[in-house]
Amino acid sequence: MSISTILFDAGDILYSKPRRKAAVTKFLTDRGYSEPMAKDPVEREMRLKAHAGAIGVRDFMTWLMGHYGVTDPQDVQDGIELLLSQQRDVTFFPEVAETLHTLKQRGIKLGIVTNTFNPPAEKNEWFKTIGIDGIWDSYADSCELGVIKPEPGIYLAALKPIGVKPENAIFVGHAQVEIDGAKRLGLTTVRFNADSDCVSSDYAIDKFSELLDIPSKIDGTKKMSLA
């Protein structure tokens, strides 16, 4: 049983949003509000509800402005527009396009498993900027499915349509809870651009192009175990 498929988290794996935090902080402090709390668990919980489609995007962003202490109606509207613009301001990591195209040429199926409230059509426009819009074999979107990682259904939603079993797939992530969710299903896990508390996976890579070596390493290990 060999590796045939690689599933990717999207944000912080294919791309990042490096200007978002600074832009939001500047907006708030320029208008006399406090800086947002780092790694706020309440914000994270509400963001995940939005990712699952339980809260509309604008409703979430309106709530977020209130959570940040923004009270002036014009500031709220300006803040929402800023959040929307920063949500679309992405920077792809080096070697992403080249690596994905090489994997595709080698016959590896590629899929997305993303917690997001940005619809696939919008992300596809981002992908077009580096030429990776037409290479995906599957796409599991939390907001469309109503399921978020690490729930098993979202990983399976990327695998079942292409007829792939978990043991034949890799999941590339940056969050420990999401990597653990994939591992429980039987996927091989790889961490990249890992969160500070993400310290455990089957493999770890520092450069995106290092993914090119992982399938052969896994298949070689499996052959040795069967020998």
Side-chain angles (χ1 to χ4, degrees):
M1 302 292 281
S2 61
I3 293 297
S4 66
T5 303
I6 303 180
L7 304 181
F8 298 87
D9 189 1
D12 291 321
I13 292 296
L14 303 178
Y15 57 80
S16 64
K17 299 177 181 178
R19 293 165 287 277
R20 180 170 59 183
K21 181 179 178 180
V24 172
T25 297
K26 185 177 187 304
F27 170 82
L28 292 171
T29 56
D30 282 356
R31 301 202 183 197
Y33 302 102
S34 300
E35 291 187 23
M37 181 190 304
K39 297 184 178 180
D40 181 350
V42 177
E43 177 181 338
R44 172 176 167 74
E45 181 180 353
M46 289 297 286
R47 187 177 295 275
L48 287 175
K49 287 182 179 180
H51 286 168
I55 305 170
V57 177
R58 280 193 171 269
D59 288 340
F60 165 68
M61 291 182 175
T62 300
W63 173 88
L64 190 56
M65 283 292 107
H67 185 61
Y68 289 160
V70 179
T71 54
D72 180 83
Q74 188 60 57
D75 288 346
V76 171
Q77 291 307 310
D78 292 345
I80 291 171
E81 293 308 314
L82 173 71
L83 291 172
L84 289 169
S85 68
Q86 287 301 311
Q87 190 66 19
R88 298 186 291 266
D89 183 13
V90 303
T91 297
F92 285 89
F93 289 107
E95 304 175 332
V96 164
E98 299 90 338
T99 300
L100 292 177
H101 281 290
T102 300
L103 288 168
K104 191 74 172 179
Q105 290 163 6
R106 292 179 180 178
I108 298 291
K109 295 178 181 178
L110 306 175
I112 296 284
V113 182
T114 179
N115 287 351
T116 186
F117 41 61
N118 294 97
E122 183 176 354
K123 288 198 176 188
N124 202 50
E125 292 300 312
W126 306 347
F127 295 157
K128 282 182 181 179
T129 64
I130 63 166
I132 60 169
D133 51 304
I135 66 173
W136 304 106
D137 297 287
S138 66
Y139 195 108
D141 177 291
S142 64
C143 202
E144 289 189 337
L145 294 167
V147 178
I148 58 173
K149 293 172 289 182
E151 296 177 38
I154 191 167
Y155 305 95
L156 295 174
L159 294 174
K160 285 184 176 179
I162 55 176
V164 175
K165 295 179 179 179
E167 57 264 33
N168 298 122
I170 292 169
F171 173 71
V172 185
H174 63 91
Q176 190 68 62
V177 66
E178 297 178 3
I179 286 175
D180 291 345
K183 187 63 182 175
R184 283 193 292 271
L185 278 175
L187 285 85
T188 299
T189 56
V190 176
R191 67 184 188 273
F192 171 66
N193 188 39
D195 297 349
S196 59
D197 60 349
C198 182
V199 297
S200 177
S201 59
D202 294 307
Y203 296 87
I205 58 174
D206 296 316
K207 298 192 300 181
F208 200 83
S209 60
E210 291 175 32
L211 271 175
L212 295 172
D213 299 326
I214 300 295
S216 60
K217 286 182 180 179
I218 296 168
D219 292 341
T221 301
K222 287 181 178 178
K223 288 178 182 177
M224 288 179 62
S225 68
L226 293 172

